[in-house]
Each structure stands twice: as structure tokens, then as C-alpha cells.
Amino acid sequence: MGGWIDSLLICIVLMNLILVASGRLSACIRIVAFQGIAVGFLPLVANTQPIVAKTIFLIVVIIGLKGFVFPWFLSLALREANVQREVKPFVGYPASMVVYILAFLISLWLSSRLPMPKESFSSLVVPVSFSTILCGFFIIVSRTKALTQILGYLVIENGIYIFDIIVTTSR
């Protein structure tokens, strides 16, 4: 199971990197939807006990909301607003990629300084959750369109959820 968790977490990091590098709002909505689906599968791959109905219900609800319902509403808002791109962000896309990579490296360093439980699932959990939260904050402050800033809030929530799932399943 450790390989699945690491693969999922690396995919989330790559989605964050693509998200800060993209100016097309429809692509950003799809990336956040895929990230929501990936985050939704975390309880399944992180669970060490037998799967119970509560876990399956949680997975279905999270994937349904984060992967389909929220992106659908955001796509409707995108059509109503009649915008396609983030035209003039406060921070350019190449610089945004550098900032996110630095945020991930700082998250790696910070997580190496924190005391972790011995039975941790993966050493990437804390840095990925911290860097996802930082990515969301960065999107909120560096983009000008309200729709992109809403996506930043969803990314922050995904980072908090990653940390929460791993902390609550490691007890």
C-alpha cells in the first residue's frame, strides 16, 4: 500500500505544479477536479484495517463533491462569466512554477524537522499536504480572477484533507 500512497501524493504534487503554470481556467478546473478525485482515494489506500461502509461512504462523497459537483458549478460560473484565461496574473506562470517548487522544498525541510509517528504511511504525506496548502494560498494571492481564487481555496482544502486523512488513519 505504501507505493500507492506515494504515487497518489506525487500525482498531487504534479497537479499543483501544472495548476500554477496554467492560465486556462477550464484546464485549472479539470486539474482541481482530478486532484479532488485523487484526494478522495486517500482513505482507501491509507486504511490499514478492513474497509467498512463508513470509509466507502466517505470516499464516494468526497470524490462526488470534489471531483464532480464543485467542478460542475465552477464550469457553469466560467460559462456565465464568459472568460477563458487568467490574462494578467500578479505573478507570471514561469515564476509561479519556481515559487511552488520552492514551497515544496521548504515543506520537505519543515516536515523533516517535525516529530512524526513511527507508523507513518509515507514520508511524503506532510510535505505534500503543506505544499498543497501553500499552493492554494499562492493561487489566491497571485491571480486576479475570482474563479481562480476559488480554485485556490479548494486546493487549500485538499491540502488540509490530505493531512487530516493521514493523521486520523495513523492512530
Side-chain angles (χ1 to χ4, degrees):
M1 283 292 186
W4 283 106
I5 293 173
D6 287 342
S7 299
L8 213 50
L9 293 172
I10 290 169
C11 285
I12 290 169
V13 168
L14 292 176
M15 284 184 245
N16 287 338
L17 188 61
I18 294 168
L19 187 62
V20 297
S22 178
R24 292 184 36 107
L25 295 175
S26 59
C28 290
I29 291 172
R30 283 193 300 273
I31 292 166
V32 171
F34 288 135
Q35 188 180 62
I37 292 169
V39 164
F41 279 115
L42 273 177
L44 183 66
V45 297
N47 199 357
T48 56
Q49 286 83 26
I51 304 294
V52 295
K54 184 172 75 171
T55 304
I56 293 172
F57 177 75
L58 177 69
I59 292 167
V60 169
V61 168
I62 294 300
I63 290 175
L65 286 175
K66 291 177 177 281
F68 298 101
V69 174
F70 295 157
W72 181 71
F73 280 124
L74 290 170
S75 294
L76 284 177
L78 183 64
R79 271 180 275 171
E80 288 293 320
N82 199 22
V83 293
Q84 300 300 316
R85 301 186 66 78
E86 180 76 44
V87 180
K88 292 183 180 179
F90 294 126
V91 179
Y93 300 113
S96 295
M97 292 175 67
V98 171
V99 168
Y100 177 70
I101 291 169
L102 288 173
F104 183 69
L105 293 174
I106 289 169
S107 298
L108 282 170
W109 175 80
L110 182 62
S111 68
S112 70
R113 303 293 184 253
L114 294 175
M116 294 299 294
K118 302 255 188 281
E119 64 277 346
S120 180
F121 296 106
S122 170
S123 61
L124 291 176
V125 172
V126 176
V128 169
S129 64
F130 284 173
S131 69
T132 302
I133 292 168
L134 291 173
C135 177
F137 281 131
F138 180 73
I139 290 170
I140 291 170
V141 300
S142 68
R143 303 299 187 246
T144 57
K145 300 284 183 198
L147 192 63
T148 314
Q149 293 170 345
I150 291 169
L151 291 173
Y153 283 111
L154 291 174
V155 171
I156 290 171
E157 200 276 330
N158 285 342
I160 293 169
Y161 184 79
I162 293 167
F163 192 76
D164 176 57
I165 285 299
I166 300 305
V167 168
T168 56
T169 55
S170 67
R171 290 184 193 172

PDB file of all heavy atoms in Angstrom, residues 77-106:
ATOM      1  N   ALA A  77     -20.151  28.639 -13.724  1.00  0.00           N
ATOM      2  CA  ALA A  77     -19.744  30.016 -13.451  1.00  0.00           C
ATOM      3  C   ALA A  77     -18.797  30.528 -14.528  1.00  0.00           C
ATOM      4  O   ALA A  77     -18.870  31.700 -14.923  1.00  0.00           O
ATOM      5  CB  ALA A  77     -19.086  30.110 -12.079  1.00  0.00           C
ATOM      6  N   LEU A  78     -17.931  29.664 -15.025  1.00  0.00           N
ATOM      7  CA  LEU A  78     -16.996  30.038 -16.085  1.00  0.00           C
ATOM      8  C   LEU A  78     -17.751  30.418 -17.364  1.00  0.00           C
ATOM      9  O   LEU A  78     -17.434  31.416 -18.000  1.00  0.00           O
ATOM     10  CB  LEU A  78     -16.022  28.893 -16.354  1.00  0.00           C
ATOM     11  CG  LEU A  78     -14.938  29.116 -17.382  1.00  0.00           C
ATOM     12  CD1 LEU A  78     -13.995  30.215 -16.922  1.00  0.00           C
ATOM     13  CD2 LEU A  78     -14.170  27.828 -17.619  1.00  0.00           C
ATOM     14  N   ARG A  79     -18.772  29.633 -17.705  1.00  0.00           N
ATOM     15  CA  ARG A  79     -19.578  29.949 -18.882  1.00  0.00           C
ATOM     16  C   ARG A  79     -20.359  31.245 -18.703  1.00  0.00           C
ATOM     17  O   ARG A  79     -20.473  32.047 -19.623  1.00  0.00           O
ATOM     18  CB  ARG A  79     -20.531  28.811 -19.203  1.00  0.00           C
ATOM     19  CG  ARG A  79     -19.888  27.798 -20.132  1.00  0.00           C
ATOM     20  CD  ARG A  79     -20.822  26.709 -20.442  1.00  0.00           C
ATOM     21  NE  ARG A  79     -20.634  25.792 -19.303  1.00  0.00           N
ATOM     22  CZ  ARG A  79     -21.384  24.756 -19.054  1.00  0.00           C
ATOM     23  NH1 ARG A  79     -22.404  24.478 -19.809  1.00  0.00           N
ATOM     24  NH2 ARG A  79     -21.137  23.979 -18.038  1.00  0.00           N
ATOM     25  N   GLU A  80     -20.904  31.448 -17.502  1.00  0.00           N
ATOM     26  CA  GLU A  80     -21.667  32.672 -17.231  1.00  0.00           C
ATOM     27  C   GLU A  80     -20.775  33.914 -17.276  1.00  0.00           C
ATOM     28  O   GLU A  80     -21.190  34.960 -17.738  1.00  0.00           O
ATOM     29  CB  GLU A  80     -22.353  32.589 -15.868  1.00  0.00           C
ATOM     30  CG  GLU A  80     -23.520  31.642 -15.822  1.00  0.00           C
ATOM     31  CD  GLU A  80     -24.690  32.109 -16.669  1.00  0.00           C
ATOM     32  OE1 GLU A  80     -24.979  33.324 -16.674  1.00  0.00           O
ATOM     33  OE2 GLU A  80     -25.301  31.255 -17.331  1.00  0.00           O
ATOM     34  N   ALA A  81     -19.559  33.783 -16.764  1.00  0.00           N
ATOM     35  CA  ALA A  81     -18.636  34.920 -16.739  1.00  0.00           C
ATOM     36  C   ALA A  81     -18.015  35.181 -18.110  1.00  0.00           C
ATOM     37  O   ALA A  81     -17.493  36.259 -18.359  1.00  0.00           O
ATOM     38  CB  ALA A  81     -17.539  34.681 -15.710  1.00  0.00           C
ATOM     39  N   ASN A  82     -18.074  34.173 -18.982  1.00  0.00           N
ATOM     40  CA  ASN A  82     -17.555  34.285 -20.339  1.00  0.00           C
ATOM     41  C   ASN A  82     -16.080  34.706 -20.372  1.00  0.00           C
ATOM     42  O   ASN A  82     -15.689  35.616 -21.098  1.00  0.00           O
ATOM     43  CB  ASN A  82     -18.411  35.249 -21.166  1.00  0.00           C
ATOM     44  CG  ASN A  82     -18.198  35.056 -22.660  1.00  0.00           C
ATOM     45  OD1 ASN A  82     -17.754  33.988 -23.086  1.00  0.00           O
ATOM     46  ND2 ASN A  82     -18.498  36.073 -23.439  1.00  0.00           N
ATOM     47  N   VAL A  83     -15.281  34.047 -19.550  1.00  0.00           N
ATOM     48  CA  VAL A  83     -13.827  34.240 -19.569  1.00  0.00           C
ATOM     49  C   VAL A  83     -13.177  32.886 -19.819  1.00  0.00           C
ATOM     50  O   VAL A  83     -13.720  31.853 -19.460  1.00  0.00           O
ATOM     51  CB  VAL A  83     -13.284  34.856 -18.251  1.00  0.00           C
ATOM     52  CG1 VAL A  83     -13.761  36.269 -18.085  1.00  0.00           C
ATOM     53  CG2 VAL A  83     -13.649  34.010 -17.062  1.00  0.00           C
ATOM     54  N   GLN A  84     -12.019  32.906 -20.427  1.00  0.00           N
ATOM     55  CA  GLN A  84     -11.326  31.663 -20.743  1.00  0.00           C
ATOM     56  C   GLN A  84      -9.953  31.555 -20.090  1.00  0.00           C
ATOM     57  O   GLN A  84      -9.496  30.471 -19.799  1.00  0.00           O
ATOM     58  CB  GLN A  84     -11.158  31.517 -22.260  1.00  0.00           C
ATOM     59  CG  GLN A  84     -12.464  31.492 -23.011  1.00  0.00           C
ATOM     60  CD  GLN A  84     -13.350  30.348 -22.581  1.00  0.00           C
ATOM     61  OE1 GLN A  84     -12.896  29.227 -22.412  1.00  0.00           O
ATOM     62  NE2 GLN A  84     -14.630  30.633 -22.369  1.00  0.00           N
ATOM     63  N   ARG A  85      -9.314  32.700 -19.864  1.00  0.00           N
ATOM     64  CA  ARG A  85      -7.935  32.693 -19.394  1.00  0.00           C
ATOM     65  C   ARG A  85      -7.753  33.668 -18.247  1.00  0.00           C
ATOM     66  O   ARG A  85      -8.474  34.639 -18.114  1.00  0.00           O
ATOM     67  CB  ARG A  85      -6.981  33.081 -20.519  1.00  0.00           C
ATOM     68  CG  ARG A  85      -7.045  32.178 -21.718  1.00  0.00           C
ATOM     69  CD  ARG A  85      -5.983  32.517 -22.728  1.00  0.00           C
ATOM     70  NE  ARG A  85      -4.637  32.278 -22.260  1.00  0.00           N
ATOM     71  CZ  ARG A  85      -4.049  31.091 -22.192  1.00  0.00           C
ATOM     72  NH1 ARG A  85      -4.695  30.021 -22.530  1.00  0.00           N
ATOM     73  NH2 ARG A  85      -2.806  30.989 -21.805  1.00  0.00           N
ATOM     74  N   GLU A  86      -6.749  33.396 -17.450  1.00  0.00           N
ATOM     75  CA  GLU A  86      -6.252  34.344 -16.453  1.00  0.00           C
ATOM     76  C   GLU A  86      -5.290  35.235 -17.210  1.00  0.00           C
ATOM     77  O   GLU A  86      -4.170  34.834 -17.521  1.00  0.00           O
ATOM     78  CB  GLU A  86      -5.553  33.582 -15.322  1.00  0.00           C
ATOM     79  CG  GLU A  86      -5.005  34.432 -14.241  1.00  0.00           C
ATOM     80  CD  GLU A  86      -6.064  34.952 -13.296  1.00  0.00           C
ATOM     81  OE1 GLU A  86      -6.944  34.181 -12.897  1.00  0.00           O
ATOM     82  OE2 GLU A  86      -5.994  36.143 -12.976  1.00  0.00           O
ATOM     83  N   VAL A  87      -5.715  36.442 -17.571  1.00  0.00           N
ATOM     84  CA  VAL A  87      -4.975  37.259 -18.523  1.00  0.00           C
ATOM     85  C   VAL A  87      -3.711  37.853 -17.914  1.00  0.00           C
ATOM     86  O   VAL A  87      -2.622  37.670 -18.435  1.00  0.00           O
ATOM     87  CB  VAL A  87      -5.879  38.375 -19.103  1.00  0.00           C
ATOM     88  CG1 VAL A  87      -5.113  39.216 -20.097  1.00  0.00           C
ATOM     89  CG2 VAL A  87      -7.097  37.767 -19.763  1.00  0.00           C
ATOM     90  N   LYS A  88      -3.845  38.571 -16.827  1.00  0.00           N
ATOM     91  CA  LYS A  88      -2.690  39.236 -16.231  1.00  0.00           C
ATOM     92  C   LYS A  88      -2.566  38.870 -14.759  1.00  0.00           C
ATOM     93  O   LYS A  88      -2.988  39.622 -13.880  1.00  0.00           O
ATOM     94  CB  LYS A  88      -2.818  40.752 -16.366  1.00  0.00           C
ATOM     95  CG  LYS A  88      -2.714  41.250 -17.765  1.00  0.00           C
ATOM     96  CD  LYS A  88      -2.767  42.754 -17.799  1.00  0.00           C
ATOM     97  CE  LYS A  88      -2.660  43.235 -19.229  1.00  0.00           C
ATOM     98  NZ  LYS A  88      -2.731  44.689 -19.299  1.00  0.00           N
ATOM     99  N   PRO A  89      -1.973  37.709 -14.468  1.00  0.00           N
ATOM    100  CA  PRO A  89      -1.786  37.371 -13.056  1.00  0.00           C
ATOM    101  C   PRO A  89      -0.738  38.293 -12.429  1.00  0.00           C
ATOM    102  O   PRO A  89       0.095  38.875 -13.126  1.00  0.00           O
ATOM    103  CB  PRO A  89      -1.294  35.923 -13.096  1.00  0.00           C
ATOM    104  CG  PRO A  89      -0.677  35.776 -14.438  1.00  0.00           C
ATOM    105  CD  PRO A  89      -1.430  36.701 -15.355  1.00  0.00           C
ATOM    106  N   PHE A  90      -0.792  38.425 -11.118  1.00  0.00           N
ATOM    107  CA  PHE A  90       0.187  39.264 -10.422  1.00  0.00           C
ATOM    108  C   PHE A  90       1.590  38.686 -10.542  1.00  0.00           C
ATOM    109  O   PHE A  90       2.565  39.416 -10.584  1.00  0.00           O
ATOM    110  CB  PHE A  90      -0.186  39.413  -8.946  1.00  0.00           C
ATOM    111  CG  PHE A  90      -1.461  40.176  -8.732  1.00  0.00           C
ATOM    112  CD1 PHE A  90      -2.479  39.635  -7.978  1.00  0.00           C
ATOM    113  CD2 PHE A  90      -1.641  41.440  -9.272  1.00  0.00           C
ATOM    114  CE1 PHE A  90      -3.657  40.328  -7.774  1.00  0.00           C
ATOM    115  CE2 PHE A  90      -2.810  42.146  -9.081  1.00  0.00           C
ATOM    116  CZ  PHE A  90      -3.829  41.588  -8.322  1.00  0.00           C
ATOM    117  N   VAL A  91       1.688  37.357 -10.584  1.00  0.00           N
ATOM    118  CA  VAL A  91       2.974  36.664 -10.744  1.00  0.00           C
ATOM    119  C   VAL A  91       2.863  35.816 -12.010  1.00  0.00           C
ATOM    120  O   VAL A  91       1.892  35.077 -12.176  1.00  0.00           O
ATOM    121  CB  VAL A  91       3.281  35.765  -9.521  1.00  0.00           C
ATOM    122  CG1 VAL A  91       4.595  35.030  -9.699  1.00  0.00           C
ATOM    123  CG2 VAL A  91       3.278  36.572  -8.234  1.00  0.00           C
ATOM    124  N   GLY A  92       3.835  35.910 -12.888  1.00  0.00           N
ATOM    125  CA  GLY A  92       3.811  35.165 -14.146  1.00  0.00           C
ATOM    126  C   GLY A  92       3.872  33.662 -13.922  1.00  0.00           C
ATOM    127  O   GLY A  92       4.217  33.170 -12.838  1.00  0.00           O
ATOM    128  N   TYR A  93       3.568  32.919 -14.969  1.00  0.00           N
ATOM    129  CA  TYR A  93       3.491  31.459 -14.847  1.00  0.00           C
ATOM    130  C   TYR A  93       4.847  30.779 -14.621  1.00  0.00           C
ATOM    131  O   TYR A  93       4.942  29.888 -13.771  1.00  0.00           O
ATOM    132  CB  TYR A  93       2.758  30.881 -16.049  1.00  0.00           C
ATOM    133  CG  TYR A  93       1.352  31.432 -16.140  1.00  0.00           C
ATOM    134  CD1 TYR A  93       0.980  32.262 -17.186  1.00  0.00           C
ATOM    135  CD2 TYR A  93       0.421  31.168 -15.151  1.00  0.00           C
ATOM    136  CE1 TYR A  93      -0.294  32.789 -17.255  1.00  0.00           C
ATOM    137  CE2 TYR A  93      -0.853  31.695 -15.208  1.00  0.00           C
ATOM    138  CZ  TYR A  93      -1.206  32.506 -16.253  1.00  0.00           C
ATOM    139  OH  TYR A  93      -2.454  33.041 -16.308  1.00  0.00           O
ATOM    140  N   PRO A  94       5.908  31.162 -15.317  1.00  0.00           N
ATOM    141  CA  PRO A  94       7.210  30.547 -15.004  1.00  0.00           C
ATOM    142  C   PRO A  94       7.663  30.855 -13.570  1.00  0.00           C
ATOM    143  O   PRO A  94       8.164  29.969 -12.872  1.00  0.00           O
ATOM    144  CB  PRO A  94       8.162  31.154 -16.026  1.00  0.00           C
ATOM    145  CG  PRO A  94       7.295  31.590 -17.160  1.00  0.00           C
ATOM    146  CD  PRO A  94       6.001  32.000 -16.533  1.00  0.00           C
ATOM    147  N   ALA A  95       7.459  32.094 -13.141  1.00  0.00           N
ATOM    148  CA  ALA A  95       7.831  32.449 -11.764  1.00  0.00           C
ATOM    149  C   ALA A  95       6.955  31.697 -10.766  1.00  0.00           C
ATOM    150  O   ALA A  95       7.430  31.305  -9.687  1.00  0.00           O
ATOM    151  CB  ALA A  95       7.700  33.954 -11.549  1.00  0.00           C
ATOM    152  N   SER A  96       5.700  31.452 -11.120  1.00  0.00           N
ATOM    153  CA  SER A  96       4.801  30.695 -10.241  1.00  0.00           C
ATOM    154  C   SER A  96       5.294  29.267 -10.051  1.00  0.00           C
ATOM    155  O   SER A  96       5.204  28.703  -8.955  1.00  0.00           O
ATOM    156  CB  SER A  96       3.386  30.677 -10.808  1.00  0.00           C
ATOM    157  OG  SER A  96       2.827  31.962 -10.830  1.00  0.00           O
ATOM    158  N   MET A  97       5.818  28.671 -11.130  1.00  0.00           N
ATOM    159  CA  MET A  97       6.362  27.318 -11.019  1.00  0.00           C
ATOM    160  C   MET A  97       7.562  27.294 -10.079  1.00  0.00           C
ATOM    161  O   MET A  97       7.686  26.386  -9.245  1.00  0.00           O
ATOM    162  CB  MET A  97       6.754  26.793 -12.401  1.00  0.00           C
ATOM    163  CG  MET A  97       5.577  26.547 -13.306  1.00  0.00           C
ATOM    164  SD  MET A  97       6.057  26.071 -14.970  1.00  0.00           S
ATOM    165  CE  MET A  97       6.800  24.472 -14.673  1.00  0.00           C
ATOM    166  N   VAL A  98       8.425  28.288 -10.188  1.00  0.00           N
ATOM    167  CA  VAL A  98       9.594  28.372  -9.301  1.00  0.00           C
ATOM    168  C   VAL A  98       9.151  28.548  -7.854  1.00  0.00           C
ATOM    169  O   VAL A  98       9.685  27.897  -6.948  1.00  0.00           O
ATOM    170  CB  VAL A  98      10.533  29.520  -9.747  1.00  0.00           C
ATOM    171  CG1 VAL A  98      11.627  29.763  -8.731  1.00  0.00           C
ATOM    172  CG2 VAL A  98      11.118  29.223 -11.114  1.00  0.00           C
ATOM    173  N   VAL A  99       8.153  29.400  -7.630  1.00  0.00           N
ATOM    174  CA  VAL A  99       7.650  29.624  -6.271  1.00  0.00           C
ATOM    175  C   VAL A  99       7.076  28.334  -5.702  1.00  0.00           C
ATOM    176  O   VAL A  99       7.331  27.989  -4.541  1.00  0.00           O
ATOM    177  CB  VAL A  99       6.598  30.760  -6.245  1.00  0.00           C
ATOM    178  CG1 VAL A  99       5.854  30.801  -4.930  1.00  0.00           C
ATOM    179  CG2 VAL A  99       7.254  32.097  -6.531  1.00  0.00           C
ATOM    180  N   TYR A 100       6.317  27.578  -6.508  1.00  0.00           N
ATOM    181  CA  TYR A 100       5.761  26.330  -5.997  1.00  0.00           C
ATOM    182  C   TYR A 100       6.861  25.310  -5.693  1.00  0.00           C
ATOM    183  O   TYR A 100       6.790  24.606  -4.678  1.00  0.00           O
ATOM    184  CB  TYR A 100       4.735  25.715  -6.949  1.00  0.00           C
ATOM    185  CG  TYR A 100       4.249  24.400  -6.405  1.00  0.00           C
ATOM    186  CD1 TYR A 100       3.436  24.364  -5.282  1.00  0.00           C
ATOM    187  CD2 TYR A 100       4.667  23.200  -6.945  1.00  0.00           C
ATOM    188  CE1 TYR A 100       3.039  23.161  -4.726  1.00  0.00           C
ATOM    189  CE2 TYR A 100       4.276  21.997  -6.408  1.00  0.00           C
ATOM    190  CZ  TYR A 100       3.457  21.975  -5.297  1.00  0.00           C
ATOM    191  OH  TYR A 100       3.081  20.784  -4.740  1.00  0.00           O
ATOM    192  N   ILE A 101       7.854  25.212  -6.555  1.00  0.00           N
ATOM    193  CA  ILE A 101       8.954  24.273  -6.288  1.00  0.00           C
ATOM    194  C   ILE A 101       9.666  24.654  -4.994  1.00  0.00           C
ATOM    195  O   ILE A 101       9.990  23.786  -4.173  1.00  0.00           O
ATOM    196  CB  ILE A 101       9.923  24.221  -7.490  1.00  0.00           C
ATOM    197  CG1 ILE A 101       9.236  23.553  -8.679  1.00  0.00           C
ATOM    198  CG2 ILE A 101      11.208  23.492  -7.132  1.00  0.00           C
ATOM    199  CD1 ILE A 101       9.987  23.671  -9.992  1.00  0.00           C
ATOM    200  N   LEU A 102       9.886  25.948  -4.783  1.00  0.00           N
ATOM    201  CA  LEU A 102      10.484  26.401  -3.514  1.00  0.00           C
ATOM    202  C   LEU A 102       9.583  26.079  -2.334  1.00  0.00           C
ATOM    203  O   LEU A 102      10.069  25.666  -1.269  1.00  0.00           O
ATOM    204  CB  LEU A 102      10.781  27.898  -3.569  1.00  0.00           C
ATOM    205  CG  LEU A 102      11.940  28.319  -4.464  1.00  0.00           C
ATOM    206  CD1 LEU A 102      12.019  29.843  -4.549  1.00  0.00           C
ATOM    207  CD2 LEU A 102      13.247  27.735  -3.971  1.00  0.00           C
ATOM    208  N   ALA A 103       8.276  26.256  -2.492  1.00  0.00           N
ATOM    209  CA  ALA A 103       7.333  25.921  -1.419  1.00  0.00           C
ATOM    210  C   ALA A 103       7.387  24.432  -1.097  1.00  0.00           C
ATOM    211  O   ALA A 103       7.342  24.035   0.074  1.00  0.00           O
ATOM    212  CB  ALA A 103       5.911  26.327  -1.798  1.00  0.00           C
ATOM    213  N   PHE A 104       7.525  23.595  -2.131  1.00  0.00           N
ATOM    214  CA  PHE A 104       7.626  22.157  -1.888  1.00  0.00           C
ATOM    215  C   PHE A 104       8.931  21.814  -1.172  1.00  0.00           C
ATOM    216  O   PHE A 104       8.947  20.994  -0.243  1.00  0.00           O
ATOM    217  CB  PHE A 104       7.516  21.385  -3.205  1.00  0.00           C
ATOM    218  CG  PHE A 104       7.532  19.896  -3.013  1.00  0.00           C
ATOM    219  CD1 PHE A 104       6.463  19.255  -2.412  1.00  0.00           C
ATOM    220  CD2 PHE A 104       8.620  19.135  -3.404  1.00  0.00           C
ATOM    221  CE1 PHE A 104       6.468  17.888  -2.204  1.00  0.00           C
ATOM    222  CE2 PHE A 104       8.640  17.777  -3.212  1.00  0.00           C
ATOM    223  CZ  PHE A 104       7.560  17.146  -2.610  1.00  0.00           C
ATOM    224  N   LEU A 105      10.033  22.443  -1.567  1.00  0.00           N
ATOM    225  CA  LEU A 105      11.312  22.194  -0.898  1.00  0.00           C
ATOM    226  C   LEU A 105      11.273  22.666   0.559  1.00  0.00           C
ATOM    227  O   LEU A 105      11.792  21.976   1.449  1.00  0.00           O
ATOM    228  CB  LEU A 105      12.452  22.873  -1.660  1.00  0.00           C
ATOM    229  CG  LEU A 105      12.752  22.296  -3.043  1.00  0.00           C
ATOM    230  CD1 LEU A 105      13.790  23.149  -3.761  1.00  0.00           C
ATOM    231  CD2 LEU A 105      13.184  20.849  -2.941  1.00  0.00           C
ATOM    232  N   ILE A 106      10.652  23.807   0.812  1.00  0.00           N
ATOM    233  CA  ILE A 106      10.503  24.287   2.189  1.00  0.00           C
ATOM    234  C   ILE A 106       9.625  23.320   2.977  1.00  0.00           C
ATOM    235  O   ILE A 106       9.910  23.028   4.149  1.00  0.00           O
ATOM    236  CB  ILE A 106       9.925  25.718   2.201  1.00  0.00           C
ATOM    237  CG1 ILE A 106      10.978  26.699   1.688  1.00  0.00           C
ATOM    238  CG2 ILE A 106       9.440  26.121   3.592  1.00  0.00           C
ATOM    239  CD1 ILE A 106      10.453  28.092   1.409  1.00  0.00           C
TER     240      ILE A 106
END
